[in-house]
Amino acid sequence: MQERKILGTGVPLYAFTNGHQHQFCLALYIRAGSLFESPEQNGITHLFEHMVFRNLKRKYGGEFYDLLQLHGLYFSGTTYREFLRFSIEGPVFGFGFAAEILEGLFEEIRISTREFSHEKGRIKAEIREKEERNTLEHFFLRNVWKETNNEKTVLGYCRVLDSVSLKKLNAYRSEILTADNCFVYVTGNVSEEDLALLRERLDGMAVAQGGAMRKNEVT
């Protein structure tokens, strides 16, 4: 495996390529999750994950999932206690669109207020359905990790989600999507040309957003 620096953004890019494979995996890892959230923002990372999907759907005029199918790609997002991961997997011919999706993960959330409220409602329903506070796992976390960051849940609480506005969510997005808080990982059948395309897209993103991502010195 080799580490490279994406010029402009300073985001580390870890590449472990194998030209004998038929597919690739392109992933963005972000240092975020309930482990790093305060009690007042517990659940905001999971909320952000959901809104990224909404934002991509808006960006492509409601045809995002059709385009994924067209390029043979599978896109997923998962929030853990200690990190947030978005990944795109698929055949070699879909890498260009995958790089475009990765670029879109850094964009400002610009969905409508109605969409924002609707998605929060879905998450709150998920919280109520799982009833984490009544599970053995939550009992364990509450008692073993009492008064530590491990006590908090990934999904958070309805009252916390109610307090999160779109403006507050975008402020959180700017806080976690910094060069020293995330990295890109690529594995599978990826060529040097693919990696160059990826760097070009992320460099262009940094310029287009006026340096919204904090830049590090590149050595």
Side-chain angles (χ1 to χ4, degrees):
M1 179 161 34
Q2 50 187 320
E3 177 184 359
R4 305 158 185 257
K5 284 289 185 180
I6 300 177
L7 299 178
T9 63
V11 177
L13 168 62
Y14 297 93
F16 187 61
T17 61
N18 184 344
H20 297 291
Q21 295 183 340
H22 298 290
Q23 294 192 324
F24 69 88
C25 179
L26 174 59
L28 173 66
Y29 287 82
I30 308 168
R31 184 177 178 269
S34 58
L35 183 63
F36 307 104
E37 296 168 353
S38 66
E40 294 74 27
Q41 62 175 187
N42 185 201
I44 194 171
T45 306
H46 184 245
L47 174 65
F48 173 71
E49 176 209 324
H50 275 244
M51 296 309 170
V52 165
F53 279 81
R54 283 271 182 177
N55 208 43
L56 287 170
K57 186 177 179 181
R58 173 204 58 80
K59 178 180 179 179
Y60 292 101
E63 299 181 352
F64 178 58
Y65 294 103
D66 292 333
L67 289 170
L68 283 176
Q69 276 194 319
L70 180 66
H71 292 86
L73 299 176
Y74 174 71
F75 175 67
S76 64
T78 309
T79 303
Y80 299 91
R81 295 187 185 279
E82 66 274 22
F83 66 90
L84 168 61
R85 181 188 68 197
F86 293 102
S87 64
I88 312 124
E89 304 173 46
V92 177
F93 70 83
F95 188 86
F97 187 54
E100 185 177 315
I101 294 172
L102 183 73
E103 179 185 2
L105 299 180
F106 290 90
E107 294 180 0
E108 180 182 359
I109 306 296
R110 296 180 179 177
I111 61 177
S112 67
T113 303
R114 180 180 179 181
E115 285 182 291
F116 187 59
S117 298
H118 179 73
E119 194 62 34
K120 283 206 294 186
R122 290 181 58 186
I123 298 173
K124 288 193 289 185
E126 184 181 356
I127 292 172
R128 296 188 187 101
E129 182 180 344
K130 289 196 173 182
E131 295 183 338
E132 286 191 350
R133 284 174 290 183
N134 297 324
T135 65
L136 181 60
E137 180 185 11
H138 186 74
F139 177 81
F140 172 82
L141 292 172
R142 188 175 66 246
N143 288 275
V144 175
W145 301 109
K146 188 176 182 179
E147 299 181 356
T148 72
N149 286 339
N150 279 327
E151 183 183 4
K152 298 189 294 294
T153 71
V154 170
L155 295 181
Y157 299 95
C158 294
R159 58 177 173 76
V160 173
L161 296 186
D162 287 336
S163 70
V164 179
S165 63
L166 194 55
K167 182 178 179 180
K168 185 175 180 180
L169 186 68
N170 272 312
Y172 180 70
R173 161 195 158 272
S174 297
E175 178 185 331
I176 63 174
L177 287 177
T178 58
D180 56 359
N181 200 62
C182 59
F183 67 87
V184 175
Y185 179 71
V186 187
T187 186
N189 193 342
V190 181
S191 67
E192 288 297 324
E193 290 75 15
D194 291 331
L195 293 175
L197 171 65
L198 182 59
R199 289 195 295 271
E200 181 182 349
R201 279 204 165 274
L202 292 183
D203 288 351
M205 172 206 69
V207 174
Q209 295 190 38
M213 172 177 286
R214 185 166 70 244
K215 298 181 180 180
N216 289 348
E217 292 294 330
V218 180
T219 56

